[in-house]
Amino acid sequence: MKKIDKKVWIALGVVVVAIIAYNLLSGGKKEEKVTFDTAKVEKTHIRTSITATGTIEPVTSVTVGTQVSGIVSKLYVDYNSVVKKGQVIAELDRTNLISELNTAKANLASSESSMAYEKANYNRYKTLYDKGLVSADEYESALLSYRKAKEDVSTKRESVNKAQTNLGYATITSPIDGVVLSKSVEEGQTVAASFNTPELFSIAQDLTDMRVIADIDEADIGGVKEGQRVSFTVDAFPDDHFEGHVTQVRQQATTESNVVTYEVVISAPNNDLKLKPGLTANVTIFTLEKNDVLAVPSKALRFIPTEALLEKGQTISDCEGEHKLWTLDGNTFKAHKVEIGTTNGIMTEIVSGISEGTEVLTDFNISGGAPEQEQQAGNPFMPRPRGNRNSNNNKSGQSGNAAPPRQ
């Protein structure tokens, strides 16, 4: 009985060793299976855009000031007041200005009297000089006095005109039709016009016609052109999307903290008056727009089948061409020479070479393989085996040109 048991145990041991040896020699592999990702050639929109921030402001706004000093005696408008061109919006105290005008007029009258005397004196000397009764020196002296009197009258007359103009500046009128955005003074406040003109009001001409001044980074400014469509939002109305277009790309650069930006002017129609001056706009400028064009994912143009991907009975039918798309017709990988158009990096326009609705290959996946390799593939701290590469995990987001060797 013990002898029989010993033989049984020996036989079992041989079987176990054989199984282990078989597994070691075969590597414990499972059959690998290759699958392919596909996409249809179909019509879509290809767009590229850049984003920036900007400030909303009126297209036309005027700062109203005063050219004379004085006390603000009357204010006829306030914030948001609607004004017409030529409408009186403020007045300064005129007391000193009227006094200056009266003084200028008195000086002019005195100068005119002096000129009348010098003119009469000159005429007497001229008559005597013509008769040879006075010397040339006396005649020329009378003539010079008369000319000086005339020049003095001209000077005094200009002083009167200036005083009269300054008196007119005491009445401040609106230069345009518009809306008062800001008011910087109150009644009784003194304004001093010296080197800088004091700002009294800011008036926007038309709040239904606004614009956005956006700062575009130097890396993006090359793609911005006049006429491009723009969409933007403001925090005040987060659910509303406003539309406009690029009206101007300014050449002047601004450098701040070593960052170079350029100002781009964007139209912002504001018929419902939601947009207010000073709001921050989050801008999207569409630098490329093609609608309803045949396109495929760009990675389909980078896909190339190799012998490593072939299963039993499968073949490759290649063709000449710079750009190709591949289809799997039965057991044949067939190349199609295509002409491409614009691309945004994700989708590429197909101009010709393949019909709409065709399914093209974009990527491959390999499943199966050794259990040890599968365990390593699931461990982020273990290196990935070459034979179990999945192109979808490529960090660059692009599929490789060829499959790795199959084990």
Side-chain angles (χ1 to χ4, degrees), residues 174-218:
S174 174
I176 59 173
D177 295 344
V179 178
V180 177
L181 297 182
S182 66
K183 181 185 69 170
S184 303
V185 294
E186 298 292 342
E187 289 186 3
Q189 183 174 338
T190 301
V191 292
S194 54
F195 296 104
N196 297 320
T197 300
E199 178 181 330
L200 304 183
F201 304 95
S202 177
I203 300 176
Q205 185 173 33
D206 185 6
L207 291 182
T208 63
D209 185 19
M210 305 287 277
R211 66 182 180 182
V212 179
I213 306 298
D215 296 322
I216 307 300
D217 189 85
E218 60 178 327

Side-chain angles (χ1 to χ4, degrees), residues 138-157:
E138 291 174 317
Y139 167 72
E140 290 174 357
S141 178
L143 176 60
L144 179 60
S145 297
Y146 173 54
R147 287 177 175 174
K148 285 183 176 181
K150 287 178 64 177
E151 292 171 357
D152 188 59
V153 168
S154 297
T155 301
K156 295 300 192 294
R157 185 171 288 114

Side-chain angles (χ1 to χ4, degrees), residues 112-334:
E112 287 175 341
S113 298
S114 297
M115 184 187 70
Y117 168 77
E118 295 297 342
K119 181 179 181 180
N121 189 52
Y122 162 71
N123 289 333
R124 286 194 300 269
Y125 272 90
K126 185 176 184 303
T127 301
L128 294 174
Y129 177 72
D130 291 340
K131 295 179 179 182
L133 299 176
V134 293
S135 65
D137 184 64
E138 291 174 317
Y139 167 72
E140 290 174 357
S141 178
L143 176 60
L144 179 60
S145 297
Y146 173 54
R147 287 177 175 174
K148 285 183 176 181
K150 287 178 64 177
E151 292 171 357
D152 188 59
V153 168
S154 297
T155 301
K156 295 300 192 294
R157 185 171 288 114
E158 289 300 321
S159 297
V160 171
N161 292 337
K162 181 180 178 180
Q164 187 69 54
T165 301
N166 287 340
L167 180 61
Y169 286 151
T171 301
I172 300 167
T173 59
S174 174
I176 59 173
D177 295 344
V179 178
V180 177
L181 297 182
S182 66
K183 181 185 69 170
S184 303
V185 294
E186 298 292 342
E187 289 186 3
Q189 183 174 338
T190 301
V191 292
S194 54
F195 296 104
N196 297 320
T197 300
E199 178 181 330
L200 304 183
F201 304 95
S202 177
I203 300 176
Q205 185 173 33
D206 185 6
L207 291 182
T208 63
D209 185 19
M210 305 287 277
R211 66 182 180 182
V212 179
I213 306 298
D215 296 322
I216 307 300
D217 189 85
E218 60 178 327
D220 298 324
I221 194 64
V224 181
K225 302 290 186 298
E226 291 185 9
Q228 290 174 340
R229 185 172 70 90
V230 180
S231 175
F232 64 93
T233 61
V234 293
D235 293 339
F237 303 98
D239 296 328
D240 293 342
H241 290 267
F242 302 91
E243 297 288 332
H245 64 275
V246 176
T247 59
Q248 186 182 54
V249 181
R250 294 178 176 172
Q251 302 297 328
Q252 177 66 39
T254 302
T255 303
E256 185 175 348
S257 301
N258 294 326
V259 177
V260 180
T261 58
Y262 292 83
E263 287 187 344
V264 172
V265 183
I266 300 164
S267 66
N270 188 32
N271 294 327
D272 54 6
L273 298 179
K274 283 187 176 181
L275 300 177
K276 302 181 184 301
L279 288 178
T280 298
N282 303 304
V283 175
T284 300
I285 301 175
F286 295 94
T287 56
L288 170 66
E289 281 192 292
K290 277 203 168 182
N291 298 325
D292 295 325
V293 295
L294 283 182
V296 295
S298 298
K299 64 180 180 179
L301 293 162
R302 297 189 292 269
F303 176 84
I304 300 177
T306 65
E307 297 292 337
L309 294 177
L310 299 183
E311 295 182 352
K312 185 177 181 179
Q314 290 182 332
T315 59
I316 296 177
S317 175
D318 204 348
C319 67
E320 296 294 330
E322 182 180 359
H323 303 289
K324 304 175 187 177
L325 292 174
W326 291 85
T327 58
L328 182 57
D329 299 333
N331 288 329
T332 303
F333 290 91
K334 185 177 180 181

